Amino acid sequence: MKILVCVKEVIDPEVPVSSIDIDSNGWKFVPKQGVSTVLNGFDENAIEAALQLKESIGDVEISVLSLGKDFSMDVIKKPLSMGCQNLFLVKDDILETSDSFVIVNVLYETINKIGPFDLILCGRQASDWDNAQVPIGLAEKLNLDCVTLAKSIECNNNNITIERVISGGIEVVKSELPVLITVSNEYGEPRYPNLRGIMTAGKIQPQFFSLEDLGISANDINNINEITDIYIPEKNSNCEFIKGEDEYDIGRNLALKLRDKNLI
Amino acid sequence: MNKVLVLAELNGNDLDNGVFELLSLLNNLNVSNDEITVCVLGDNLQDKDGILKQIPCSKILAHSNIDTNNLNPNILSKLASSMIEDLQPNKILISKTNLGQDLAPRLAFKFGWGLVNDCLNIEKNENNDWTGIRPIFGGNFMSKINIKTPTEIYCVRPKVFDSLTDKTISPEIEYKQFTNDLETKTKVLKRINEQSEGIKLEDADIVIAGGRGLGGPEPFETLDEIAGLLNAAVGASRAVCDAGWMDHSYQIGLTGKDISPNLYLTVAISGASQHMAGCGNSKHIVSIDKNVEANIFNDAEFGAIGDWKNILPGFLDTLKDLVKE
């Protein structure tokens, strides 16, 4: 069985807003000096799901695919040190400012070259643009069924059972390979790479593609969504901060204030 | 003149509130009733005239009786595509429900049209062009998006807009047979609704929730004690649930529960927009956090700045005294 996991390198979502500049030329995030990038958290959940399927099924080869202008090898090779076998990277400057529409097309062409795959796994969304549309768009383009927000995946021959997170509960869905599944954080914590994994990953060379290699010309790259502004939302400064002699006293005064306002 | 298609969702006999909110948004944009067609997706619609008539619009297009397998998006994306081909709209509005969030990207990529996903508002410029506003980077930034394709799709976050209630319009309902192949190998087997002990988060008048800053599961015992005194429900941020300190059924936010209590008391929650998406409808937000710059204080009415380890005992002791009175 061949599994593909699509991943993205993103600016660490935990850093404060002040660590990120906005470049209005093409509208991109520019991390300030010393701000690190990480593997998108939901993509790590997807990697974990692939690895657990490999552990339960046995004969599974996991490939990882990412696109971008540049890659930090420490970050993008993490799936290999977690236990994946192959890494495919599509590298082009233009991909830095491409919208979901372009990204889906490039993923599609890459999969035509390196695939087919029985199962494609993606994180539910990327923590930078929060679009949650590339995986679903890719499924549409590949003419695959798509099951989103998985918290557990069981595979038995061609049959696959997925528990998905919906508001108010859980939905149990069955499908058949090939299918595309997006994985949510409820799947569980991704594993840490161990020393052996890191050593193995060190020996695996990623396979690079240019857009030209994929038969895509610059003329084919056209965003259909135009960003006209990115801004930091305005702060509301109406919050009344409770005073006190010390922190215990602040807690006391907070309780009294809430009683005074009839909130408790 | 626009030709706007609004998708409505009927789950059993339960009309999702999204359609009322989308119509309210269109009302804000001065889109007139004759520019709008509401397309309904659901099971056995023909017996449900009475429910569909509640939608305040002038035209409804519904599909004839079919089994949608519990609103399975793999089926409904095909059905919605047929409705779109039939109507040829230049704008499509979808509420970001369980179904909508899957459907909107599928339709966008099927037709090659642009989508503003998780849209919080739409602005109209002097040329009557629309610009969608959506949060990015966990809501730390907002972005404005112009769609450049002839048809534009907006998937709008629920509960941002009030419901439109106009009792003066009564819709004409047209049922149509859409005959395309709706077979799919993906089937919904069952839905399991979560059961939680005590007061349900969604129903509680007071909710007290803890975040990553609590450092572990133990402090939730103090939150439980406070909740007991206030007859409140306890919730948690995603970081807490991901760390396994609390079960995911306690999670409040975009990827968890959506609550609307009278009082929402947060402890050590920074208030990322994904979290606020699940509690923005709280009437009063009161927050304890060590960081005065935390996002939560943009929404909080009262704030207590400091270490929760010192603030909570003062709060709890006083609460006990107040309860005795």
Side-chain angles (χ1 to χ4, degrees), chain B residues 6-60:
Chain B
V6 177
L7 278 184
E9 205 179 299
L10 190 65
N11 191 356
N13 284 328
D14 203 5
L15 187 59
D16 183 81
N17 200 57
V19 63
F20 298 96
E21 297 164 16
L22 296 176
L23 289 169
S24 165
L25 167 60
L26 289 170
N27 192 44
N28 297 348
L29 289 166
N30 289 322
V31 177
S32 68
N33 272 317
D34 56 353
E35 296 174 274
I36 301 170
T37 306
V38 173
C39 286
V40 189
L41 301 172
D43 283 327
N44 301 321
L45 296 179
Q46 246 145 359
D47 312 327
K48 302 199 175 139
D49 265 39
I51 300 170
L52 299 191
K53 285 226 155 81
Q54 296 167 13
I55 303 174
C57 65
S58 52
K59 272 176 295 181
I60 290 180

Side-chain angles (χ1 to χ4, degrees), chain A residues 54-70:
Chain A
K54 184 173 168 64
E55 282 158 2
S56 71
I57 300 169
D59 184 22
V60 172
E61 184 189 46
I62 307 171
S63 299
V64 177
L65 169 60
S66 189
L67 323 178
K69 180 190 178 205
D70 266 318

Side-chain angles (χ1 to χ4, degrees), chain A:
Chain A
M1 179 175 172
K2 291 178 79 179
I3 300 181
L4 177 72
V5 188
C6 300
V7 303
K8 184 178 184 186
E9 185 179 337
V10 295
I11 295 173
D12 186 347
E14 302 295 333
V15 301
V17 183
S18 53
S19 312
I20 303 167
D21 286 325
I22 298 292
D23 181 352
S24 63
N25 177 22
W27 294 111
K28 54 200 173 208
F29 295 118
V30 183
K32 289 192 178 148
Q33 193 88 39
V35 174
S36 57
T37 56
V38 295
L39 207 58
N40 176 39
F42 297 114
D43 298 348
E44 288 199 14
N45 295 123
I47 297 281
E48 179 61 34
L51 293 169
Q52 288 191 24
L53 284 169
K54 184 173 168 64
E55 282 158 2
S56 71
I57 300 169
D59 184 22
V60 172
E61 184 189 46
I62 307 171
S63 299
V64 177
L65 169 60
S66 189
L67 323 178
K69 180 190 178 205
D70 266 318
F71 302 97
S72 153
M73 278 303 141
D74 291 348
V75 174
I76 209 70
K77 286 185 92 172
K78 189 175 180 189
L80 297 176
S81 38
M82 290 166 79
C84 301
Q85 281 73 58
N86 310 311
L87 178 61
F88 298 97
L89 299 173
V90 182
K91 195 167 178 290
D92 196 292
D93 286 359
I94 204 166
L95 295 171
E96 190 183 25
T97 50
S98 293
D99 67 9
S100 309
F101 190 73
V102 171
I103 297 297
V104 164
N105 282 320
V106 176
L107 287 172
Y108 173 76
E109 293 299 343
T110 316
I111 290 167
N112 280 342
K113 203 164 180 82
I114 65 172
F117 296 94
D118 303 293
L119 175 64
I120 300 178
L121 297 174
C122 302
R124 59 177 290 169
Q125 67 202 60
S127 58
D128 49 3
W129 293 95
D130 285 324
N131 262 315
Q133 49 174 303
V134 164
I136 303 174
L138 182 62
E140 184 67 38
K141 187 99 185 158
L142 289 163
N143 201 19
L144 291 176
D145 276 13
C146 179
V147 180
T148 55
L149 309 179
K151 70 167 287 207
S152 81
I153 304 170
E154 258 178 64
C155 191
N156 194 346
N157 294 321
N158 262 352
N159 297 314
I160 195 150
T161 309
I162 304 116
E163 285 186 321
R164 55 188 299 259
V165 185
I166 58 169
S167 65
I170 285 169
E171 191 173 80
V172 185
V173 171
K174 68 161 187 178
S175 190
E176 288 167 28
L177 301 178
V179 65
L180 188 148
I181 300 174
T182 81
V183 181
S184 188
N185 54 292
E186 284 86 352
Y187 190 90
E189 290 279 303
R191 68 195 61 191
Y192 287 102
N194 59 27
L195 193 60
R196 200 170 130 240
I198 294 168
M199 303 273 284
T200 313
K203 292 179 199 136
I204 304 173
Q205 288 306 315
Q207 192 178 341
F208 283 94
F209 293 103
S210 65
L211 292 182
E212 206 179 5
D213 295 334
L214 301 170
I216 301 172
S217 82
N219 296 337
D220 299 335
I221 304 279
N222 291 307
N223 286 351
I224 60 171
N225 279 357
E226 180 194 8
I227 299 170
T228 59
D229 196 12
I230 291 180
Y231 57 98
I232 296 171
E234 265 179 46
K235 304 264 177 194
N236 160 12
S237 51
N238 295 331
C239 183
E240 179 185 336
F241 292 104
I242 305 297
K243 295 188 177 67
E245 285 170 15
D246 53 25
E247 291 181 341
Y248 181 92
D249 195 41
I250 291 176
R252 189 183 125 77
N253 290 338
L254 180 64
L256 293 172
K257 174 66 95 177
L258 297 187
R259 170 51 63 95
D260 183 44
K261 294 283 172 186
N262 255 330
L263 292 173
I264 56 175

Side-chain angles (χ1 to χ4, degrees), chain B residues 222-248:
Chain B
T222 311
L223 265 53
D224 278 334
E225 195 179 351
I226 294 171
L229 290 168
L230 294 175
N231 201 22
V234 174
S237 71
R238 186 188 136 189
V240 165
C241 299
D242 278 359
W245 304 344
M246 296 283 277
D247 186 80
H248 272 110

